[in-house]
mmCIF file of all heavy atoms in Angstrom:
data_model
loop_
_atom_site.group_PDB
_atom_site.id
_atom_site.type_symbol
_atom_site.label_atom_id
_atom_site.label_comp_id
_atom_site.label_asym_id
_atom_site.label_seq_id
_atom_site.Cartn_x
_atom_site.Cartn_y
_atom_site.Cartn_z
ATOM 1 N N VAL H 10 -2.383 0.727 -4.381
ATOM 2 C CA VAL H 10 -1.255 -0.228 -4.393
ATOM 3 C C VAL H 10 -0.029 0.463 -4.921
ATOM 4 O O VAL H 10 -0.074 1.198 -5.881
ATOM 5 C CB VAL H 10 -1.724 -1.462 -5.220
ATOM 6 C CG1 VAL H 10 -0.547 -2.414 -5.425
ATOM 7 C CG2 VAL H 10 -2.897 -2.157 -4.640
ATOM 8 N N VAL H 13 5.653 -1.399 -8.629
ATOM 9 C CA VAL H 13 7.018 -1.145 -9.131
ATOM 10 C C VAL H 13 7.195 -1.957 -10.418
ATOM 11 O O VAL H 13 7.018 -3.180 -10.410
ATOM 12 C CB VAL H 13 8.059 -1.563 -8.042
ATOM 13 C CG1 VAL H 13 9.456 -1.400 -8.565
ATOM 14 C CG2 VAL H 13 7.861 -0.855 -6.771
ATOM 15 N N LEU H 15 9.292 -3.908 -13.166
ATOM 16 C CA LEU H 15 10.542 -4.595 -13.231
ATOM 17 C C LEU H 15 10.801 -4.960 -14.624
ATOM 18 O O LEU H 15 10.160 -5.811 -15.248
ATOM 19 C CB LEU H 15 10.427 -5.886 -12.391
ATOM 20 C CG LEU H 15 11.653 -6.742 -12.042
ATOM 21 C CD1 LEU H 15 12.709 -5.845 -11.313
ATOM 22 C CD2 LEU H 15 11.273 -7.923 -11.160
ATOM 23 N N GLU H 16 11.767 -4.227 -15.281
ATOM 24 C CA GLU H 16 12.097 -4.407 -16.709
ATOM 25 C C GLU H 16 12.876 -5.782 -16.873
ATOM 26 O O GLU H 16 13.860 -5.973 -16.129
ATOM 27 C CB GLU H 16 12.908 -3.283 -17.253
ATOM 28 C CG GLU H 16 12.199 -1.909 -17.333
ATOM 29 C CD GLU H 16 11.038 -1.954 -18.287
ATOM 30 O OE1 GLU H 16 11.129 -2.723 -19.258
ATOM 31 O OE2 GLU H 16 10.067 -1.169 -18.025
ATOM 32 N N LEU H 17 12.473 -6.595 -17.674
ATOM 33 C CA LEU H 17 13.112 -7.883 -17.881
ATOM 34 C C LEU H 17 13.630 -8.152 -19.248
ATOM 35 O O LEU H 17 14.847 -8.498 -19.395
ATOM 36 C CB LEU H 17 12.119 -9.034 -17.574
ATOM 37 C CG LEU H 17 11.533 -8.995 -16.139
ATOM 38 C CD1 LEU H 17 10.294 -9.876 -15.956
ATOM 39 C CD2 LEU H 17 12.654 -9.358 -15.097
ATOM 40 N N GLN H 18 12.825 -7.947 -20.323
ATOM 41 C CA GLN H 18 13.242 -8.192 -21.651
ATOM 42 C C GLN H 18 13.958 -9.571 -21.901
ATOM 43 O O GLN H 18 15.078 -9.571 -22.325
ATOM 44 C CB GLN H 18 14.144 -6.986 -22.137
ATOM 45 C CG GLN H 18 13.347 -5.694 -22.050
ATOM 46 C CD GLN H 18 13.985 -4.566 -22.820
ATOM 47 O OE1 GLN H 18 15.080 -4.701 -23.223
ATOM 48 N NE2 GLN H 18 13.184 -3.576 -22.987
ATOM 49 N N THR H 19 13.271 -10.542 -21.393
ATOM 50 C CA THR H 19 13.834 -11.922 -21.580
ATOM 51 C C THR H 19 13.047 -12.730 -22.543
ATOM 52 O O THR H 19 11.846 -12.466 -22.716
ATOM 53 C CB THR H 19 13.845 -12.703 -20.225
ATOM 54 O OG1 THR H 19 12.490 -12.626 -19.738
ATOM 55 C CG2 THR H 19 14.711 -12.036 -19.212
ATOM 56 N N ILE H 21 10.832 -15.572 -23.719
ATOM 57 C CA ILE H 21 9.992 -16.474 -22.863
ATOM 58 C C ILE H 21 10.396 -17.903 -23.079
ATOM 59 O O ILE H 21 10.298 -18.660 -22.066
ATOM 60 C CB ILE H 21 8.505 -16.190 -23.279
ATOM 61 C CG1 ILE H 21 8.029 -14.832 -22.978
ATOM 62 C CG2 ILE H 21 7.621 -17.283 -22.671
ATOM 63 C CD1 ILE H 21 6.699 -14.445 -23.449
ATOM 64 N N CYS H 135 3.231 -24.643 -35.310
ATOM 65 C CA CYS H 135 3.912 -24.695 -33.973
ATOM 66 C C CYS H 135 5.374 -25.139 -34.099
ATOM 67 O O CYS H 135 6.250 -24.561 -33.393
ATOM 68 C CB CYS H 135 3.154 -25.589 -33.030
ATOM 69 S SG CYS H 135 1.376 -25.450 -33.078
ATOM 70 N N TYR H 139 9.919 -23.475 -32.095
ATOM 71 C CA TYR H 139 10.891 -24.106 -31.102
ATOM 72 C C TYR H 139 12.175 -24.543 -31.779
ATOM 73 O O TYR H 139 12.236 -25.392 -32.727
ATOM 74 C CB TYR H 139 10.223 -25.370 -30.529
ATOM 75 C CG TYR H 139 9.039 -24.998 -29.571
ATOM 76 C CD1 TYR H 139 7.767 -24.741 -30.096
ATOM 77 C CD2 TYR H 139 9.275 -24.789 -28.195
ATOM 78 C CE1 TYR H 139 6.781 -24.349 -29.273
ATOM 79 C CE2 TYR H 139 8.330 -24.374 -27.353
ATOM 80 C CZ TYR H 139 7.043 -24.222 -27.882
ATOM 81 O OH TYR H 139 5.926 -23.796 -27.096
ATOM 82 N N THR H 164 5.477 -17.832 -41.314
ATOM 83 C CA THR H 164 6.433 -18.026 -40.233
ATOM 84 C C THR H 164 7.341 -19.252 -40.573
ATOM 85 O O THR H 164 8.559 -19.188 -40.504
ATOM 86 C CB THR H 164 5.759 -18.156 -38.886
ATOM 87 O OG1 THR H 164 4.951 -16.941 -38.707
ATOM 88 C CG2 THR H 164 6.805 -18.384 -37.778
ATOM 89 N N ALA H 196 9.116 -16.860 -52.773
ATOM 90 C CA ALA H 196 10.054 -15.712 -52.836
ATOM 91 C C ALA H 196 9.477 -14.521 -51.993
ATOM 92 O O ALA H 196 10.214 -13.592 -51.743
ATOM 93 C CB ALA H 196 10.318 -15.276 -54.290
ATOM 94 N N ARG H 197 8.205 -14.570 -51.655
ATOM 95 C CA ARG H 197 7.626 -13.487 -50.909
ATOM 96 C C ARG H 197 7.686 -13.758 -49.365
ATOM 97 O O ARG H 197 7.282 -12.924 -48.562
ATOM 98 C CB ARG H 197 6.159 -13.231 -51.291
ATOM 99 C CG ARG H 197 6.112 -12.715 -52.763
ATOM 100 C CD ARG H 197 4.696 -12.615 -53.272
ATOM 101 N NE ARG H 197 4.650 -12.479 -54.685
ATOM 102 C CZ ARG H 197 4.790 -11.332 -55.376
ATOM 103 N NH1 ARG H 197 4.876 -10.197 -54.663
ATOM 104 N NH2 ARG H 197 4.824 -11.307 -56.708
ATOM 105 N N PRO H 200 13.610 -15.169 -47.620
ATOM 106 C CA PRO H 200 14.568 -14.187 -48.137
ATOM 107 C C PRO H 200 15.535 -14.825 -49.151
ATOM 108 O O PRO H 200 15.938 -14.181 -50.080
ATOM 109 C CB PRO H 200 15.295 -13.693 -46.889
ATOM 110 C CG PRO H 200 14.899 -14.488 -45.777
ATOM 111 C CD PRO H 200 13.667 -15.246 -46.183
ATOM 112 N N HIS K 2 0.332 -24.405 -29.279
ATOM 113 C CA HIS K 2 1.501 -24.394 -28.450
ATOM 114 C C HIS K 2 1.425 -23.138 -27.556
ATOM 115 O O HIS K 2 2.338 -22.937 -26.743
ATOM 116 C CB HIS K 2 2.760 -24.274 -29.326
ATOM 117 C CG HIS K 2 2.658 -23.075 -30.359
ATOM 118 N ND1 HIS K 2 1.695 -23.087 -31.298
ATOM 119 C CD2 HIS K 2 3.363 -21.987 -30.510
ATOM 120 C CE1 HIS K 2 1.830 -21.970 -32.011
ATOM 121 N NE2 HIS K 2 2.803 -21.332 -31.558
ATOM 122 N N SER K 5 1.860 -24.009 -23.933
ATOM 123 C CA SER K 5 3.277 -24.294 -23.492
ATOM 124 C C SER K 5 3.991 -22.995 -23.339
ATOM 125 O O SER K 5 4.897 -22.820 -22.517
ATOM 126 C CB SER K 5 3.986 -25.311 -24.312
ATOM 127 O OG SER K 5 4.175 -24.865 -25.599
ATOM 128 N N LEU K 36 5.432 -12.478 -36.902
ATOM 129 C CA LEU K 36 5.936 -13.732 -37.498
ATOM 130 C C LEU K 36 6.518 -14.671 -36.423
ATOM 131 O O LEU K 36 7.346 -15.578 -36.766
ATOM 132 C CB LEU K 36 6.987 -13.406 -38.497
ATOM 133 C CG LEU K 36 6.528 -12.911 -39.907
ATOM 134 C CD1 LEU K 36 7.739 -12.671 -40.849
ATOM 135 C CD2 LEU K 36 5.537 -13.937 -40.543
ATOM 136 N N GLY K 83 4.385 -7.981 -48.689
ATOM 137 C CA GLY K 83 3.921 -8.889 -49.756
ATOM 138 C C GLY K 83 4.871 -8.953 -50.911
ATOM 139 O O GLY K 83 4.627 -9.811 -51.851
ATOM 140 N N LEU K 86 11.225 -10.838 -51.039
ATOM 141 C CA LEU K 86 12.079 -10.518 -49.921
ATOM 142 C C LEU K 86 13.587 -10.344 -50.350
ATOM 143 O O LEU K 86 14.421 -11.000 -49.845
ATOM 144 C CB LEU K 86 12.012 -11.586 -48.839
ATOM 145 C CG LEU K 86 10.585 -11.676 -48.176
ATOM 146 C CD1 LEU K 86 10.534 -12.716 -47.124
ATOM 147 C CD2 LEU K 86 10.125 -10.368 -47.582
ATOM 148 N N ALA K 95 16.533 -10.005 -47.929
ATOM 149 C CA ALA K 95 16.080 -9.202 -46.806
ATOM 150 C C ALA K 95 16.373 -9.872 -45.513
ATOM 151 O O ALA K 95 16.579 -11.075 -45.388
ATOM 152 C CB ALA K 95 14.586 -8.920 -47.020
ATOM 153 N N ILE K 103 9.287 -13.215 -29.046
ATOM 154 C CA ILE K 103 8.407 -13.806 -28.010
ATOM 155 C C ILE K 103 9.052 -13.436 -26.683
ATOM 156 O O ILE K 103 9.854 -14.204 -26.124
ATOM 157 C CB ILE K 103 8.287 -15.339 -28.190
ATOM 158 C CG1 ILE K 103 7.837 -15.720 -29.569
ATOM 159 C CG2 ILE K 103 7.350 -15.948 -27.148
ATOM 160 C CD1 ILE K 103 7.711 -17.234 -29.795
ATOM 161 N N LEU K 105 9.251 -11.474 -22.791
ATOM 162 C CA LEU K 105 8.628 -10.972 -21.559
ATOM 163 C C LEU K 105 9.320 -9.660 -21.320
ATOM 164 O O LEU K 105 10.486 -9.557 -21.063
ATOM 165 C CB LEU K 105 8.854 -11.932 -20.389
ATOM 166 C CG LEU K 105 8.521 -11.390 -18.979
ATOM 167 C CD1 LEU K 105 7.084 -10.890 -18.877
ATOM 168 C CD2 LEU K 105 8.823 -12.439 -17.945
ATOM 169 N N GLN K 106 8.593 -8.510 -21.491
ATOM 170 C CA GLN K 106 9.197 -7.168 -21.391
ATOM 171 C C GLN K 106 9.352 -6.723 -19.960
ATOM 172 O O GLN K 106 10.400 -6.338 -19.498
ATOM 173 C CB GLN K 106 8.372 -6.157 -22.170
ATOM 174 C CG GLN K 106 8.346 -6.373 -23.654
ATOM 175 C CD GLN K 106 9.668 -6.145 -24.314
ATOM 176 O OE1 GLN K 106 10.697 -5.805 -23.648
ATOM 177 N NE2 GLN K 106 9.797 -6.394 -25.575
ATOM 178 N N ARG K 107 8.267 -6.727 -19.188
ATOM 179 C CA ARG K 107 8.348 -6.365 -17.794
ATOM 180 C C ARG K 107 7.127 -6.920 -17.030
ATOM 181 O O ARG K 107 6.132 -7.292 -17.569
ATOM 182 C CB ARG K 107 8.446 -4.790 -17.689
ATOM 183 C CG ARG K 107 7.132 -4.127 -18.108
ATOM 184 C CD ARG K 107 7.306 -2.588 -17.951
ATOM 185 N NE ARG K 107 6.053 -2.012 -18.396
ATOM 186 C CZ ARG K 107 5.728 -1.749 -19.651
ATOM 187 N NH1 ARG K 107 6.530 -2.112 -20.569
ATOM 188 N NH2 ARG K 107 4.561 -1.182 -19.943
ATOM 189 N N ILE K 108 7.356 -6.853 -15.723
ATOM 190 C CA ILE K 108 6.187 -7.184 -14.825
ATOM 191 C C ILE K 108 6.074 -5.993 -13.864
ATOM 192 O O ILE K 108 6.985 -5.207 -13.730
ATOM 193 C CB ILE K 108 6.445 -8.493 -14.000
ATOM 194 C CG1 ILE K 108 7.697 -8.397 -13.242
ATOM 195 C CG2 ILE K 108 6.483 -9.677 -15.036
ATOM 196 C CD1 ILE K 108 7.917 -9.679 -12.372
ATOM 197 N N LEU K 110 5.132 -5.199 -9.994
ATOM 198 C CA LEU K 110 5.031 -5.856 -8.691
ATOM 199 C C LEU K 110 4.548 -4.860 -7.657
ATOM 200 O O LEU K 110 4.826 -3.707 -7.606
ATOM 201 C CB LEU K 110 6.465 -6.227 -8.208
ATOM 202 C CG LEU K 110 7.158 -7.449 -8.907
ATOM 203 C CD1 LEU K 110 8.565 -7.506 -8.363
ATOM 204 C CD2 LEU K 110 6.417 -8.719 -8.621
ATOM 205 N N GLU K 111 3.639 -5.421 -6.754
ATOM 206 C CA GLU K 111 3.227 -4.701 -5.602
ATOM 207 C C GLU K 111 4.207 -5.019 -4.482
ATOM 208 O O GLU K 111 4.456 -6.189 -4.192
ATOM 209 C CB GLU K 111 1.873 -5.086 -5.170
ATOM 210 C CG GLU K 111 1.343 -4.407 -3.880
ATOM 211 C CD GLU K 111 0.081 -5.001 -3.346
ATOM 212 O OE1 GLU K 111 -0.555 -5.867 -4.049
ATOM 213 O OE2 GLU K 111 -0.255 -4.649 -2.163
#
Side-chain angles (χ1 to χ4, degrees):
Chain H
V10 172
V13 177
L15 191 57
E16 294 295 332
L17 298 167
Q18 301 197 345
T19 54
I21 294 173
C135 318
Y139 291 84
T164 302
R197 294 172 197 276
Chain K
H2 54 298
S5 70
L36 282 181
L86 295 180
I103 305 179
L105 169 56
Q106 293 294 356
R107 68 178 179 282
I108 57 175
L110 286 176
E111 177 188 350

